[in-house]
Amino acid sequence: MLEQREQRIMKPKILFSLYLFLCCIKTINAEVYTALAEMEELLETEAVLISNLEGFIRVQQDKLDYLKTKMQEYQREHEEAATDISVYVSNPINAYLLTKRLTTDWRQVENLMAHDVGIDFLDNITNYRNVLKFPSDEDLNGAAVALMRLQDTYNLDTSSVARGELNGIQYSTEMSSDDCFELGRQSYVNHDYYHTVLWMKEAMSRMREEPNNRTQSFTKADVLEYLAFSTYKQGNVETALLMTNELLQLIPNHERANGNKVYYEKELKEITMKKRVKGDDGSDDTPKSDLPISKAEPAVFDYSERKTYELLCQGKLKPTSAQLRSLSCRYVTNEVPFLKIGPFKLEEASKDPYIVIYHDAMYDSEIEIVKRMAKPRFRRATVQNAITGELETANYRISKSAWLKTEEHSIIANIVQRTEDMTGLDMLSAEELQVVNYGIGGHYEPHFDFARREEVKAFQGLNTGNRIATVLFYMSDVEQGGATVFTAINIALRPRKGTAAFWFNLHKSGEGDYRTRHAACPVLTGSKWVSNKWIHERRQEFRRPCGLEPDHGEFAI
């Protein structure tokens, strides 16, 4: 019986091979945070891991239950023998059973104690990594940075975010103290001391509310170490010293804290005496931290534009009444015979520069086909280096994209023809249809679609001139965030599934219209899908001819 039970525990039912046969998922461990379409696959990974963990716990529990049963049997026999040892051992049956318990029985128990019954489940995890999508450390950092971006852009309170609230709406369960601590740590890694302080304080607050949390991976001393150094880096030496003293009360022999304490006291003394600022005396005796740090991404637009961008994203900056009064909605045929049967629904968003929205520009059935074609080709979205002309990734554009050729599918051809009908421009010089899915907090900071004069290598491989116009199709509704905002004219276009925005990037003279500088606000809640056609100058000579008078500010009188 013991041997049968042992074999049953040591040979758990493993469903891994069946799962592989049914699932056949290709592993892609690169930047899943940059597209929500790929983030969805992580839930499949988690479901498999949960099932595997349940199996591991079950066989471990079976093993413990069995050993506990055997221990109780041995205790009963031992207690009975202890009442009268001489009488007990004089019985030949008792003598035999005692001998058996301490030989074959105990050997089997010992073997079971030594055997790791969960090894098969551990092997499963190794195999899963070859077939399932797993996030990387870069994904963790990217997801953390995305939360910080959302917090700043939409002015979200740290405690509210930790409670799972976004703009007053409860979307998820609360974060644990561990979750908050990791957000603070990731911010520190990125030299983001402002958010380090916010999230370490939140971790400390939640730690006090979880006195019996046995899974907590950090201590109060850990939080104080991050807080003290980050507070110092923000310029608050006095508070940094107070936190360092508190840390030393917990760990008196903390080497770095003791060194930093001396430095902070010295600097405070110099500040009090109005002496030279730190560093002027040539001393290398600066506060030290061996906490992990990586290079931060430089800012790409100035404070004034950032403020405008954030207010537009929040919906707090709107066009004036005079601007809105001049706008209209109407049906248009653009002199296309086919459209006399079913004209376009046009809504003006801006008169100057001229920005319009076409409603029902893409149908649900088309959207599903486009998404299905794009998903297998998704790659991290790139930007063009203004100096080298090379394409490269950047932290100010978080999304994944794919390119679809017109001839690949009749649906793509229909969309391209519809784009020509909407714009009146020739599509032979247009770029392929780009399909984009934004990731966690996905955004694209203010930029121009056209190349400036100094960007001499832009579009040099296409030989089709500059980008004369942009058509942006919205392929999903977005619950919160994700607007396209024009920072120079205070216009915000909210994503609505099936609509398309259209604007000219160039004046008729061929000069860039700098008022078309625009950005994609971070996606606060929901999944944002868009596709776009960038139309170039070549073949547009008779479609959009130059005017007799200059139409841009550079030559204005």
Side-chain angles (χ1 to χ4, degrees):
M1 180 66 75
L2 173 61
E3 187 172 340
Q4 291 175 349
R5 183 63 179 271
E6 180 183 347
Q7 288 177 350
R8 188 159 64 250
I9 294 172
M10 297 169 76
K11 296 180 180 179
K13 294 180 180 179
I14 307 299
L15 299 178
F16 177 69
S17 298
L18 177 61
Y19 179 80
L20 287 187
F21 177 75
L22 295 174
C23 199
C24 296
I25 299 176
K26 183 178 179 181
T27 302
I28 303 176
N29 288 332
E31 300 178 343
V32 297
Y33 76 95
T34 57
L36 288 185
E38 294 191 355
M39 288 292 299
E40 292 171 4
E41 295 182 33
L42 297 187
L43 287 173
E44 298 176 12
T45 299
E46 187 175 50
V48 175
L49 293 180
I50 289 171
S51 178
N52 191 68
L53 180 58
E54 285 176 339
F56 178 83
I57 293 171
R58 184 178 62 253
V59 296
Q60 294 285 0
Q61 190 62 54
D62 286 347
K63 172 181 172 178
L64 291 174
D65 289 345
Y66 178 74
L67 291 174
K68 185 176 181 180
T69 299
K70 297 306 294 183
M71 180 195 70
Q72 291 170 344
E73 290 177 7
Y74 295 160
Q75 281 180 333
R76 284 197 300 271
E77 286 294 325
H78 188 78
E79 289 170 0
E80 182 182 339
T83 57
D84 194 330
I85 295 174
S86 297
V87 172
Y88 183 85
V89 298
S90 64
N91 183 317
I93 296 176
N94 288 342
Y96 165 75
L97 292 175
L98 175 60
T99 305
K100 180 177 178 293
R101 285 200 303 275
L102 294 175
T103 51
T104 58
D105 283 8
W106 188 256
R107 193 156 43 242
Q108 289 177 331
V109 169
E110 189 175 350
N111 288 338
L112 184 55
M113 290 172 64
H115 179 69
D116 187 354
V117 295
I119 191 67
D120 292 321
F121 292 97
L122 291 174
D123 290 341
N124 280 353
I125 295 177
T126 301
N127 293 325
Y128 290 153
R129 292 191 179 276
N130 296 322
V131 292
L132 296 176
K133 188 186 293 294
F134 276 81
S136 64
D137 288 339
E138 181 185 358
D139 289 313
L140 174 61
N141 187 261
V145 170
L147 271 179
M148 303 304 102
R149 183 187 310 121
L150 292 172
Q151 187 176 2
D152 290 346
T153 304
Y154 296 103
N155 195 25
L156 305 176
D157 175 66
T158 304
S159 296
S160 297
V161 176
R163 289 194 302 270
E165 292 180 12
L166 299 176
N167 273 345
I169 301 175
Q170 188 77 36
Y171 282 105
S172 62
T173 56
E174 292 196 17
M175 293 183 184
S176 66
S177 56
D178 258 352
D179 297 330
C180 297
F181 178 82
E182 183 59 28
L183 274 175
R185 193 185 71 83
Q186 291 291 336
S187 298
Y188 186 92
V189 164
N190 294 323
H191 285 206
D192 182 357
Y193 302 113
Y194 170 74
H195 287 109
T196 302
V197 171
L198 288 180
W199 285 98
M200 286 298 172
K201 285 183 175 179
E202 187 65 28
M204 182 80 82
S205 173
R206 289 182 172 269
M207 183 174 63
R208 296 191 190 101
E209 298 170 3
E210 305 167 3
N212 301 318
N213 185 356
R214 294 183 296 175
T215 63
Q216 204 165 271
S217 63
F218 66 94
T219 65
K220 183 179 180 180
D222 294 327
V223 176
L224 286 170
E225 184 173 6
Y226 279 102
L227 273 175
F229 194 77
S230 297
T231 301
Y232 162 75
K233 294 295 285 186
Q234 287 187 294
N236 192 338
V237 186
E238 187 174 359
T239 302
L241 178 59
L242 290 173
M243 291 176 174
T244 302
N245 286 333
E246 189 176 354
L247 171 57
L248 288 171
Q249 289 178 356
L250 298 173
I251 309 176
N253 60 346
H254 196 293
E255 185 177 351
R256 282 190 309 280
N258 278 299
N260 289 349
K261 174 182 168 66
V262 173
Y263 183 87
Y264 297 150
E265 288 175 338
K266 176 184 175 184
E267 183 157 330
L268 277 175
K269 184 177 179 181
E270 289 180 351
I271 292 172
T272 303
M273 298 175 66
K274 297 183 180 180
K275 287 189 175 181
R276 296 167 298 178
V277 296
K278 71 180 181 69
D280 285 353
D281 60 359
S283 172
D284 292 329
D285 185 20
T286 57
K288 294 179 175 58
S289 171
D290 62 359
L291 300 172
I293 277 190
S294 68
K295 185 178 179 181
E297 182 78 11
V300 294
F301 56 110
D302 62 33
Y303 175 80
S304 175
E305 185 177 34
R306 173 173 287 279
K307 196 63 183 174
T308 300
Y309 164 75
E310 290 176 353
L311 290 173
L312 283 168
C313 290
Q314 294 169 23
K316 295 181 179 178
L317 196 58
K318 300 181 183 297
T320 64
S321 299
Q323 286 176 301
L324 292 174
R325 250 193 318 270
S326 65
L327 304 179
S328 64
C329 297
R330 59 186 181 274
Y331 289 100
V332 295
T333 62
N334 294 343
E335 299 182 359
V336 177
F338 177 77
L339 294 181
K340 291 182 179 180
I341 302 173
F344 286 128
K345 302 170 185 174
L346 180 148
E347 175 187 350
E348 292 178 340
S350 171
K351 284 285 192 183
D352 189 24
Y354 195 60
I355 302 171
V356 299
I357 301 167
Y358 286 101
H359 294 266
D360 300 327
M362 190 181 284
Y363 308 114
D364 288 355
S365 58
E366 294 176 328
I367 289 171
E368 292 310 307
I369 290 173
V370 170
K371 287 165 68 173
R372 188 167 65 246
M373 292 176 66
K375 281 182 181 180
R377 310 184 197 181
F378 269 156
R379 297 292 183 271
R380 173 78 180 268
T382 57
V383 296
Q384 190 168 49
N385 187 301
I387 299 174
T388 66
E390 298 296 322
L391 296 177
E392 58 191 23
T393 61
N395 284 350
Y396 55 84
R397 188 183 190 188
I398 302 300
S399 60
K400 283 192 175 178
S401 62
W403 299 86
L404 304 181
K405 296 180 183 295
T406 304
E407 60 271 17
E408 286 187 63
H409 199 287
S410 60
I411 289 298
I412 307 301
N414 289 344
I415 293 170
V416 173
Q417 181 60 55
R418 197 175 302 136
T419 304
E420 181 168 332
D421 293 343
M422 285 191 296
T423 63
L425 299 174
D426 194 307
M427 291 296 111
L428 289 179
S429 66
E431 297 175 40
E432 297 168 2
L433 184 70
Q434 185 190 45
V435 184
V436 179
N437 179 224
Y438 287 83
I440 307 171
H443 72 140
Y444 191 179
E445 291 185 354
H447 61 282
F448 302 103
D449 280 351
F450 64 88
R452 273 71 70 211
R453 286 181 177 179
E454 64 272 16
E455 296 173 348
V456 294
K457 294 187 178 181
F459 316 129
Q460 61 181 356
L462 299 177
N463 296 317
T464 53
N466 211 341
R467 286 174 175 164
I468 191 173
T470 296
V471 176
L472 178 64
F473 293 93
Y474 295 104
M475 296 167 51
S476 67
D477 293 314
V478 179
E479 291 181 53
Q480 290 195 71
T484 305
V485 298
F486 293 79
T487 54
I489 55 176
N490 297 344
I491 297 293
L493 310 180
R494 307 292 167 184
R496 290 184 59 186
K497 188 177 182 181
T499 60
F502 165 62
W503 64 88
F504 284 104
N505 296 305
L506 306 178
H507 292 284
K508 287 186 176 182
S509 62
E511 294 294 324
D513 190 340
Y514 285 79
R515 298 169 301 172
T516 62
R517 184 168 169 84
H518 60 285
C521 296
V523 178
L524 186 57
T525 311
S527 181
K528 181 181 177 183
W529 285 82
V530 299
S531 56
N532 58 270
K533 288 289 283 185
W534 282 309
I535 308 165
H536 286 251
E537 291 177 288
R538 181 158 297 182
R539 301 181 64 90
Q540 314 304 342
E541 296 85 356
F542 299 104
R543 301 279 186 123
R544 194 195 188 215
C546 295
L548 295 177
E549 299 292 334
D551 65 334
H552 62 280
E554 185 175 336
F555 299 108
I557 298 175

